[in-house]
Amino acid sequence: MAGDDAELIERTVRAVLQDVLGLDDARTRALDADSGLFGAMPELDSMTVAGLLTEIEDRLGIIIDDDEVDGEMLETFGSLVRFARGKAER
């Protein structure tokens, strides 16, 4: 995947987190690969996961199967971005 594509995916995932979870700009910009998501962000609970993943699908034009969703994929910002990049490469 080209560097520009990888950067676009990261920006998109960051924007989705901001929009779906209602994060402010400073908090969104502060997200790095090790930033915790599920279990670390009170805004991201089991009720918001489906909306988050649906919005990522819509914005990136990918399909996320139910059996692909697990705690590891949602553990950190970096793991979610890596997952989205992997789906977009297919």
Side-chain angles (χ1 to χ4, degrees):
M1 171 174 288
D4 290 345
D5 292 341
E7 186 177 315
L8 175 64
I9 290 169
E10 181 175 332
R11 283 195 320 265
T12 300
V13 171
R14 189 179 301 273
V16 168
L17 285 166
Q18 182 172 21
D19 294 347
V20 172
L21 302 182
L23 304 179
D24 63 35
D25 289 338
R27 194 160 167 213
T28 304
R29 281 192 307 272
L31 292 171
D32 64 22
D34 295 325
S35 295
L37 295 181
F38 194 76
M41 292 181 128
E43 301 88 352
L44 184 58
D45 59 21
S46 58
M47 298 299 290
T48 56
V49 167
L52 177 75
L53 297 179
T54 298
E55 191 64 23
I56 289 172
E57 286 179 320
D58 291 346
R59 293 193 194 184
L60 293 177
I62 61 175
I63 302 293
I64 300 172
D65 296 320
D66 290 344
D67 63 346
E68 295 176 304
V69 179
D70 61 22
E72 185 178 312
M73 170 247 245
L74 294 165
E75 185 175 5
T76 65
F77 177 68
S79 61
L80 183 57
V81 169
R82 280 189 301 278
F83 174 81
R85 283 180 185 154
K87 293 297 288 185
E89 288 177 347
R90 295 182 197 164

Coordinates of all heavy atoms in Angstrom, one line a residue:
M1 N 0.8 -1.2 0.0 CA 0.0 0.0 0.0 C 0.9 1.2 0.0 O 1.9 1.3 0.7 CB -0.9 0.0 1.2 CG -1.7 1.3 1.5 SD -2.8 1.2 2.8 CE -4.0 0.1 2.1
A2 N 0.6 2.2 -0.8 CA 1.3 3.4 -0.9 C 1.2 4.2 0.4 O 0.2 4.1 1.1 CB 0.8 4.3 -2.1
G3 N 2.2 5.0 0.7 CA 2.2 5.8 1.9 C 1.1 6.7 2.0 O 0.5 6.9 3.1
D4 N 0.7 7.3 0.9 CA -0.5 8.3 0.9 C -1.7 7.5 1.2 O -2.6 8.1 2.0 CB -0.6 8.9 -0.5 CG 0.5 9.9 -0.8 OD1 1.2 10.3 0.1 OD2 0.6 10.3 -2.0
D5 N -1.9 6.3 0.7 CA -3.1 5.5 1.1 C -3.1 5.2 2.6 O -4.2 5.3 3.2 CB -3.2 4.2 0.3 CG -3.4 4.5 -1.2 OD1 -3.9 5.6 -1.6 OD2 -3.1 3.6 -2.0
A6 N -2.0 4.8 3.1 CA -1.9 4.4 4.5 C -2.2 5.7 5.4 O -2.9 5.5 6.4 CB -0.5 3.9 4.8
E7 N -1.7 6.8 5.0 CA -2.0 8.0 5.7 C -3.5 8.4 5.6 O -4.1 8.8 6.6 CB -1.1 9.2 5.2 CG -1.2 10.4 6.0 CD -0.3 11.5 5.5 OE1 0.9 11.2 5.2 OE2 -0.8 12.7 5.3
L8 N -4.1 8.2 4.5 CA -5.5 8.5 4.3 C -6.3 7.6 5.2 O -7.3 8.1 5.8 CB -5.9 8.3 2.8 CG -7.4 8.5 2.6 CD1 -7.9 9.9 2.9 CD2 -7.7 8.1 1.1
I9 N -6.0 6.4 5.3 CA -6.7 5.4 6.2 C -6.6 5.9 7.6 O -7.6 5.9 8.4 CB -6.3 4.0 5.9 CG1 -6.7 3.5 4.5 CG2 -6.8 3.1 7.0 CD1 -6.2 2.2 4.1
E10 N -5.4 6.2 8.0 CA -5.2 6.7 9.4 C -6.0 7.9 9.7 O -6.7 8.0 10.7 CB -3.7 6.9 9.7 CG -3.5 7.4 11.2 CD -2.1 7.5 11.6 OE1 -1.2 6.8 11.0 OE2 -1.8 8.3 12.5
R11 N -6.0 8.9 8.8 CA -6.8 10.1 9.0 C -8.3 9.8 9.0 O -9.0 10.4 9.8 CB -6.5 11.1 7.9 CG -5.2 11.8 8.0 CD -5.1 13.1 7.1 NE -5.6 12.9 5.8 CZ -4.9 12.6 4.7 NH1 -3.6 12.4 4.8 NH2 -5.5 12.5 3.5
T12 N -8.7 8.8 8.2 CA -10.1 8.5 8.2 C -10.5 7.8 9.5 O -11.6 8.2 10.0 CB -10.4 7.5 7.0 OG1 -10.1 8.2 5.8 CG2 -11.9 7.1 6.9
V13 N -9.7 6.9 10.0 CA -10.1 6.2 11.2 C -10.1 7.3 12.4 O -11.0 7.2 13.2 CB -9.1 5.1 11.5 CG1 -9.3 4.5 12.9 CG2 -9.2 4.0 10.5
R14 N -9.1 8.2 12.4 CA -9.1 9.2 13.4 C -10.4 10.1 13.3 O -11.0 10.4 14.3 CB -7.9 10.1 13.1 CG -7.6 11.1 14.2 CD -6.3 11.9 13.9 NE -5.1 11.0 13.8 CZ -4.3 10.6 14.7 NH1 -4.6 11.0 16.0 NH2 -3.3 9.8 14.5
A15 N -10.8 10.4 12.1 CA -12.0 11.3 11.9 C -13.3 10.5 12.4 O -14.2 11.1 13.0 CB -12.1 11.7 10.5
V16 N -13.3 9.2 12.1 CA -14.5 8.4 12.5 C -14.5 8.4 14.0 O -15.6 8.5 14.6 CB -14.4 7.0 11.9 CG1 -15.4 6.1 12.5 CG2 -14.6 7.0 10.4
L17 N -13.4 8.1 14.6 CA -13.4 8.1 16.1 C -13.9 9.5 16.7 O -14.7 9.5 17.6 CB -12.0 7.8 16.6 CG -11.6 6.4 16.5 CD1 -10.1 6.2 16.8 CD2 -12.3 5.5 17.5
Q18 N -13.4 10.5 16.1 CA -13.9 11.9 16.5 C -15.4 12.1 16.3 O -16.1 12.5 17.2 CB -13.1 13.0 15.8 CG -13.5 14.3 16.3 CD -12.6 15.4 15.7 OE1 -12.0 15.3 14.7 NE2 -12.6 16.6 16.4
D19 N -15.8 11.7 15.2 CA -17.3 11.9 14.8 C -18.2 11.0 15.6 O -19.2 11.5 16.2 CB -17.5 11.7 13.3 CG -16.8 12.8 12.5 OD1 -16.3 13.8 13.0 OD2 -16.7 12.6 11.3
V20 N -17.9 9.7 15.7 CA -18.8 8.8 16.3 C -18.7 8.9 17.9 O -19.8 8.8 18.5 CB -18.4 7.3 15.9 CG1 -19.2 6.3 16.7 CG2 -18.7 7.2 14.4
L21 N -17.5 9.2 18.4 CA -17.4 9.2 19.9 C -17.5 10.6 20.4 O -17.6 10.8 21.6 CB -16.1 8.6 20.3 CG -15.8 7.2 19.9 CD1 -14.5 6.7 20.4 CD2 -16.9 6.3 20.3
G22 N -17.6 11.6 19.5 CA -17.7 13.0 20.0 C -16.4 13.5 20.7 O -16.5 14.3 21.6
L23 N -15.3 13.1 20.2 CA -14.0 13.5 20.8 C -13.7 14.9 20.3 O -14.0 15.3 19.2 CB -12.9 12.6 20.4 CG -13.0 11.1 20.7 CD1 -11.8 10.3 20.2 CD2 -13.3 10.9 22.2
D24 N -13.0 15.7 21.2 CA -12.6 17.1 20.8 C -11.4 17.0 19.9 O -10.7 15.9 19.9 CB -12.5 18.0 21.9 CG -11.4 17.6 22.9 OD1 -10.4 17.1 22.5 OD2 -11.6 17.9 24.1
D25 N -11.0 18.1 19.3 CA -9.9 18.1 18.3 C -8.6 17.7 19.0 O -7.8 16.9 18.5 CB -9.7 19.5 17.7 CG -10.8 19.7 16.7 OD1 -11.4 18.8 16.1 OD2 -11.1 20.9 16.4
A26 N -8.3 18.3 20.2 CA -7.1 18.0 20.9 C -7.0 16.5 21.2 O -5.9 15.9 21.1 CB -7.0 18.9 22.2
R27 N -8.0 15.9 21.7 CA -8.0 14.5 22.1 C -7.8 13.6 20.9 O -7.1 12.7 20.9 CB -9.3 14.2 22.8 CG -9.2 12.8 23.5 CD -10.2 12.8 24.6 NE -10.3 11.4 25.0 CZ -11.4 10.8 25.4 NH1 -12.6 11.5 25.5 NH2 -11.4 9.6 25.8
T28 N -8.4 14.0 19.8 CA -8.3 13.3 18.5 C -6.9 13.3 18.0 O -6.3 12.3 17.6 CB -9.3 13.8 17.5 OG1 -10.6 13.7 18.0 CG2 -9.3 13.0 16.2
R29 N -6.3 14.5 18.0 CA -4.9 14.7 17.5 C -3.9 14.0 18.4 O -2.9 13.5 17.9 CB -4.6 16.2 17.5 CG -5.1 16.9 16.3 CD -4.5 18.3 16.1 NE -4.6 19.1 17.4 CZ -5.6 19.9 17.7 NH1 -6.6 20.0 16.9 NH2 -5.6 20.6 18.8
A30 N -4.2 13.8 19.6 CA -3.3 13.1 20.6 C -3.3 11.6 20.4 O -2.4 11.0 20.9 CB -3.7 13.5 22.0
L31 N -4.2 11.1 19.6 CA -4.2 9.6 19.5 C -2.9 9.2 18.7 O -2.6 9.7 17.7 CB -5.4 9.2 18.6 CG -6.8 9.3 19.3 CD1 -7.9 9.0 18.3 CD2 -6.9 8.4 20.5
D32 N -2.3 8.2 19.3 CA -1.1 7.6 18.6 C -1.3 6.1 18.6 O -2.3 5.6 19.1 CB 0.2 8.0 19.3 CG 0.4 7.5 20.7 OD1 -0.3 6.5 21.1 OD2 1.2 8.0 21.4
A33 N -0.4 5.4 18.0 CA -0.5 3.9 17.8 C -0.8 3.2 19.1 O -1.5 2.2 19.1 CB 0.7 3.3 17.1
D34 N -0.3 3.7 20.2 CA -0.5 3.0 21.5 C -1.7 3.5 22.3 O -1.9 3.0 23.4 CB 0.8 3.1 22.3 CG 2.0 2.5 21.7 OD1 1.8 1.4 21.1 OD2 3.1 3.0 21.8
S35 N -2.4 4.4 21.8 CA -3.6 4.9 22.5 C -4.6 3.9 22.7 O -5.0 3.3 21.7 CB -4.2 6.1 21.8 OG -3.3 7.2 21.8
G36 N -5.0 3.6 23.9 CA -6.0 2.6 24.2 C -7.4 3.0 23.7 O -7.8 4.2 23.7
L37 N -8.2 2.1 23.2 CA -9.5 2.3 22.7 C -10.5 1.6 23.6 O -10.9 2.1 24.7 CB -9.7 1.9 21.2 CG -8.9 2.7 20.2 CD1 -9.1 2.2 18.8 CD2 -9.1 4.2 20.3
F38 N -11.0 0.4 23.2 CA -12.0 -0.3 23.9 C -11.5 -0.7 25.3 O -10.4 -1.3 25.4 CB -12.4 -1.5 23.1 CG -13.7 -2.1 23.7 CD1 -14.9 -1.6 23.4 CD2 -13.7 -3.3 24.4 CE1 -16.1 -2.1 23.8 CE2 -14.9 -3.8 24.9 CZ -16.1 -3.2 24.6
G39 N -12.2 -0.2 26.3 CA -11.8 -0.5 27.7 C -11.0 0.7 28.3 O -10.8 0.8 29.5
A40 N -10.4 1.5 27.4 CA -9.7 2.7 27.8 C -10.4 4.0 27.6 O -10.2 5.0 28.4 CB -8.3 2.7 27.1
M41 N -11.3 4.0 26.7 CA -12.1 5.2 26.4 C -13.5 5.0 26.8 O -14.2 4.1 26.3 CB -12.1 5.6 24.9 CG -10.8 6.0 24.3 SD -11.0 6.3 22.5 CE -10.3 7.9 22.5
P42 N -14.0 5.8 27.8 CA -15.4 5.5 28.2 C -16.4 5.7 27.1 O -17.5 5.1 27.1 CB -15.6 6.6 29.3 CG -14.3 7.3 29.5 CD -13.3 6.8 28.5
E43 N -16.1 6.5 26.1 CA -17.0 6.8 25.0 C -17.2 5.5 24.1 O -18.2 5.4 23.4 CB -16.5 7.9 24.1 CG -16.4 9.2 24.9 CD -15.0 9.4 25.5 OE1 -14.2 8.5 25.5 OE2 -14.8 10.6 25.9
L44 N -16.2 4.7 24.1 CA -16.2 3.5 23.2 C -16.6 2.3 24.1 O -15.8 1.6 24.7 CB -14.8 3.3 22.6 CG -14.8 2.1 21.6 CD1 -15.8 2.3 20.4 CD2 -13.4 2.0 21.0
D45 N -17.9 2.0 24.0 CA -18.4 0.8 24.7 C -19.1 -0.1 23.7 O -19.0 0.1 22.5 CB -19.4 1.2 25.8 CG -20.6 2.0 25.3 OD1 -20.9 1.9 24.1 OD2 -21.2 2.7 26.1
S46 N -19.6 -1.2 24.2 CA -20.2 -2.2 23.3 C -21.3 -1.6 22.5 O -21.6 -2.1 21.4 CB -20.7 -3.4 24.1 OG -21.6 -3.0 25.1
M47 N -22.0 -0.6 22.9 CA -23.1 0.0 22.2 C -22.6 0.8 21.0 O -23.2 1.0 20.0 CB -23.9 0.9 23.1 CG -24.6 0.1 24.2 SD -25.7 -1.2 23.6 CE -27.0 -0.2 23.0
T48 N -21.4 1.4 21.1 CA -20.9 2.3 20.1 C -20.0 1.6 19.1 O -19.7 2.1 18.0 CB -20.1 3.5 20.7 OG1 -19.0 3.0 21.5 CG2 -21.0 4.4 21.4
V49 N -19.5 0.4 19.4 CA -18.7 -0.4 18.5 C -19.3 -0.6 17.1 O -18.7 -0.3 16.1 CB -18.2 -1.7 19.1 CG1 -17.6 -2.6 18.1 CG2 -17.3 -1.5 20.3
A50 N -20.5 -1.0 17.1 CA -21.2 -1.2 15.8 C -21.3 0.0 15.0 O -21.0 0.0 13.7 CB -22.6 -1.8 16.0
G51 N -21.6 1.1 15.6 CA -21.7 2.4 14.8 C -20.3 2.8 14.3 O -20.2 3.3 13.2
L52 N -19.3 2.6 15.1 CA -17.9 2.9 14.7 C -17.5 2.1 13.5 O -17.0 2.7 12.5 CB -17.0 2.7 15.9 CG -15.5 2.9 15.7 CD1 -15.2 4.4 15.6 CD2 -14.7 2.3 16.7
L53 N -17.7 0.8 13.6 CA -17.3 -0.1 12.5 C -18.1 0.2 11.2 O -17.5 0.1 10.1 CB -17.4 -1.5 12.9 CG -16.4 -1.9 14.1 CD1 -16.6 -3.4 14.5 CD2 -15.0 -1.6 13.8
T54 N -19.4 0.5 11.4 CA -20.2 0.8 10.2 C -19.7 2.0 9.5 O -19.6 2.1 8.3 CB -21.7 0.9 10.6 OG1 -22.1 -0.3 11.2 CG2 -22.6 1.3 9.5
E55 N -19.3 3.0 10.3 CA -18.9 4.3 9.7 C -17.5 4.1 9.0 O -17.3 4.6 8.0 CB -18.8 5.4 10.8 CG -18.5 6.7 10.3 CD -19.7 7.3 9.4 OE1 -20.8 6.8 9.6 OE2 -19.4 8.2 8.6
I56 N -16.6 3.3 9.6 CA -15.4 2.9 9.0 C -15.6 2.2 7.7 O -15.0 2.5 6.6 CB -14.5 2.1 9.9 CG1 -13.9 3.0 11.1 CG2 -13.3 1.5 9.1 CD1 -13.2 2.2 12.1
E57 N -16.5 1.3 7.7 CA -16.9 0.6 6.4 C -17.4 1.6 5.3 O -16.9 1.5 4.2 CB -18.0 -0.4 6.7 CG -17.6 -1.7 7.4 CD -18.8 -2.6 7.6 OE1 -19.9 -2.1 7.9 OE2 -18.6 -3.8 7.5
D58 N -18.3 2.4 5.7 CA -18.8 3.4 4.8 C -17.8 4.3 4.2 O -17.7 4.6 3.0 CB -19.9 4.2 5.4 CG -21.2 3.4 5.7 OD1 -21.3 2.3 5.2 OD2 -22.0 3.9 6.5
R59 N -16.9 4.9 5.1 CA -15.9 5.9 4.6 C -14.8 5.2 3.8 O -14.2 5.9 3.0 CB -15.4 6.6 5.8 CG -16.4 7.5 6.4 CD -15.8 8.5 7.4 NE -16.9 9.1 8.2 CZ -16.6 10.1 9.1 NH1 -15.4 10.5 9.2 NH2 -17.6 10.6 9.8
L60 N -14.4 4.0 4.1 CA -13.3 3.4 3.4 C -13.8 2.4 2.3 O -12.9 1.9 1.6 CB -12.4 2.6 4.4 CG -11.7 3.5 5.4 CD1 -10.9 2.6 6.4 CD2 -10.7 4.5 4.7
G61 N -15.1 2.1 2.3 CA -15.6 1.2 1.2 C -15.1 -0.2 1.5 O -14.8 -0.9 0.5
I62 N -15.1 -0.6 2.7 CA -14.7 -2.0 3.1 C -15.9 -2.7 3.7 O -16.9 -2.1 4.1 CB -13.5 -2.0 4.0 CG1 -13.8 -1.3 5.3 CG2 -12.3 -1.4 3.3 CD1 -12.7 -1.3 6.3
I63 N -15.8 -4.0 3.9 CA -16.7 -4.8 4.6 C -16.0 -5.5 5.8 O -15.0 -6.1 5.6 CB -17.4 -5.9 3.7 CG1 -18.0 -5.3 2.5 CG2 -18.3 -6.8 4.5 CD1 -19.3 -4.5 2.8
I64 N -16.6 -5.3 7.0 CA -16.0 -5.9 8.2 C -17.0 -7.0 8.6 O -18.1 -6.8 9.0 CB -15.8 -4.9 9.3 CG1 -14.9 -3.8 8.8 CG2 -15.3 -5.6 10.5 CD1 -14.8 -2.6 9.8
D65 N -16.5 -8.3 8.5 CA -17.4 -9.4 8.9 C -17.4 -9.5 10.4 O -16.4 -9.2 11.1 CB -16.8 -10.7 8.3 CG -16.9 -10.7 6.8 OD1 -17.9 -10.3 6.2 OD2 -15.9 -11.2 6.2
D66 N -18.5 -10.0 10.9 CA -18.7 -10.1 12.4 C -17.6 -10.9 13.0 O -17.1 -10.6 14.1 CB -20.1 -10.7 12.7 CG -21.2 -9.8 12.4 OD1 -21.0 -8.6 12.2 OD2 -22.4 -10.3 12.3
D67 N -17.1 -12.0 12.4 CA -16.1 -12.9 13.0 C -14.7 -12.2 13.0 O -13.8 -12.8 13.5 CB -16.1 -14.2 12.3 CG -15.7 -14.2 10.8 OD1 -15.7 -13.1 10.2 OD2 -15.4 -15.2 10.2
E68 N -14.6 -11.0 12.4 CA -13.3 -10.3 12.4 C -13.2 -9.4 13.6 O -12.1 -8.9 13.8 CB -13.1 -9.5 11.1 CG -13.0 -10.4 9.8 CD -12.9 -9.6 8.6 OE1 -13.8 -8.7 8.3 OE2 -12.0 -9.8 7.8
V69 N -14.3 -9.1 14.2 CA -14.4 -8.1 15.3 C -14.0 -8.8 16.6 O -14.6 -9.8 17.0 CB -15.8 -7.5 15.4 CG1 -15.8 -6.5 16.6 CG2 -16.2 -6.9 14.1
D70 N -12.9 -8.3 17.2 CA -12.4 -8.9 18.5 C -11.8 -7.8 19.3 O -11.5 -6.7 18.8 CB -11.5 -10.1 18.3 CG -10.2 -9.8 17.5 OD1 -9.8 -8.6 17.5 OD2 -9.6 -10.7 16.9
G71 N -11.4 -8.1 20.5 CA -10.8 -7.2 21.4 C -9.5 -6.7 20.9 O -9.1 -5.5 21.2
E72 N -8.7 -7.6 20.3 CA -7.4 -7.2 19.8 C -7.5 -6.1 18.8 O -6.7 -5.1 18.8 CB -6.7 -8.4 19.2 CG -5.2 -8.1 18.8 CD -4.5 -9.4 18.3 OE1 -4.7 -10.4 19.0 OE2 -3.9 -9.3 17.2
M73 N -8.4 -6.2 17.9 CA -8.6 -5.2 16.8 C -9.0 -3.8 17.4 O -8.6 -2.8 16.8 CB -9.7 -5.7 15.8 CG -10.1 -4.7 14.8 SD -11.8 -4.2 15.1 CE -12.5 -4.8 13.7
L74 N -9.7 -3.8 18.5 CA -10.1 -2.6 19.1 C -9.3 -2.1 20.3 O -9.7 -1.2 21.0 CB -11.6 -2.7 19.5 CG -12.6 -2.9 18.4 CD1 -13.9 -3.4 18.9 CD2 -12.8 -1.6 17.6
E75 N -8.2 -2.8 20.5 CA -7.4 -2.6 21.7 C -6.7 -1.2 21.7 O -6.8 -0.4 22.7 CB -6.3 -3.6 21.9 CG -5.5 -3.5 23.1 CD -4.5 -4.6 23.3 OE1 -4.4 -5.5 22.5 OE2 -3.9 -4.6 24.4
T76 N -6.1 -0.8 20.6 CA -5.5 0.5 20.4 C -5.8 1.1 19.1 O -6.3 0.5 18.2 CB -3.9 0.3 20.5 OG1 -3.5 -0.4 19.4 CG2 -3.5 -0.3 21.8
F77 N -5.5 2.4 19.0 CA -5.7 3.2 17.8 C -4.9 2.5 16.7 O -5.3 2.3 15.6 CB -5.3 4.6 18.0 CG -5.4 5.4 16.7 CD1 -6.6 5.7 16.2 CD2 -4.2 5.9 16.1 CE1 -6.7 6.5 15.0 CE2 -4.3 6.7 15.0 CZ -5.5 7.0 14.4
G78 N -3.6 2.1 17.0 CA -2.8 1.5 16.0 C -3.3 0.2 15.5 O -3.2 -0.1 14.3
S79 N -3.9 -0.6 16.4 CA -4.4 -1.9 16.0 C -5.7 -1.7 15.1 O -5.8 -2.5 14.1 CB -4.7 -2.8 17.2 OG -5.7 -2.3 18.0
L80 N -6.5 -0.7 15.4 CA -7.6 -0.5 14.5 C -7.2 0.0 13.1 O -7.7 -0.4 12.1 CB -8.6 0.5 15.2 CG -9.9 0.8 14.5 CD1 -10.7 -0.4 14.2 CD2 -10.7 1.9 15.3
V81 N -6.2 0.9 13.1 CA -5.7 1.4 11.8 C -5.1 0.3 11.0 O -5.3 0.1 9.8 CB -4.7 2.6 12.0 CG1 -3.9 2.9 10.8 CG2 -5.4 3.8 12.6
R82 N -4.3 -0.6 11.7 CA -3.7 -1.7 10.9 C -4.8 -2.6 10.4 O -4.7 -3.1 9.2 CB -2.8 -2.5 11.9 CG -1.4 -1.9 12.1 CD -0.5 -2.8 12.8 NE -0.9 -3.2 14.1 CZ -0.8 -2.5 15.2 NH1 -0.2 -1.3 15.1 NH2 -1.2 -2.9 16.4
F83 N -5.8 -2.9 11.1 CA -6.9 -3.7 10.7 C -7.6 -3.1 9.4 O -7.8 -3.7 8.4 CB -8.0 -3.9 11.8 CG -9.2 -4.6 11.3 CD1 -9.2 -6.0 11.2 CD2 -10.3 -3.9 10.9 CE1 -10.3 -6.7 10.7 CE2 -11.5 -4.6 10.5 CZ -11.4 -6.0 10.4
A84 N -7.9 -1.8 9.5 CA -8.5 -1.1 8.4 C -7.6 -1.1 7.2 O -8.1 -1.3 6.0 CB -8.8 0.4 8.8
R85 N -6.3 -0.9 7.4 CA -5.4 -1.0 6.2 C -5.4 -2.3 5.6 O -5.4 -2.5 4.4 CB -4.0 -0.6 6.7 CG -3.7 0.8 6.9 CD -2.3 1.0 7.4 NE -2.0 2.4 7.7 CZ -1.1 2.8 8.6 NH1 -0.3 2.0 9.2 NH2 -1.0 4.1 8.8
G86 N -5.4 -3.4 6.4 CA -5.4 -4.7 5.9 C -6.7 -5.0 5.1 O -6.7 -5.6 4.0
K87 N -7.8 -4.5 5.5 CA -9.1 -4.7 4.8 C -9.1 -3.9 3.5 O -9.6 -4.3 2.5 CB -10.3 -4.2 5.7 CG -10.6 -5.1 6.9 CD -10.9 -6.5 6.5 CE -12.3 -6.5 5.9 NZ -12.8 -7.9 5.6
A88 N -8.5 -2.7 3.5 CA -8.5 -1.8 2.3 C -7.5 -2.4 1.3 O -7.7 -2.1 0.1 CB -8.1 -0.4 2.7
E89 N -6.5 -3.2 1.7 CA -5.6 -3.7 0.7 C -6.2 -4.8 -0.1 O -5.7 -5.2 -1.2 CB -4.4 -4.3 1.4 CG -3.5 -3.2 2.0 CD -2.3 -3.8 2.8 OE1 -2.3 -5.0 3.1 OE2 -1.4 -3.0 3.1
R90 N -7.3 -5.4 0.3 CA -7.9 -6.6 -0.4 C -8.7 -6.1 -1.5 O -9.2 -5.1 -1.7 CB -8.8 -7.4 0.6 CG -8.0 -8.0 1.7 CD -8.8 -8.8 2.6 NE -8.1 -9.1 3.8 CZ -8.7 -9.5 4.9 NH1 -10.0 -9.7 5.0 NH2 -8.0 -9.7 6.0

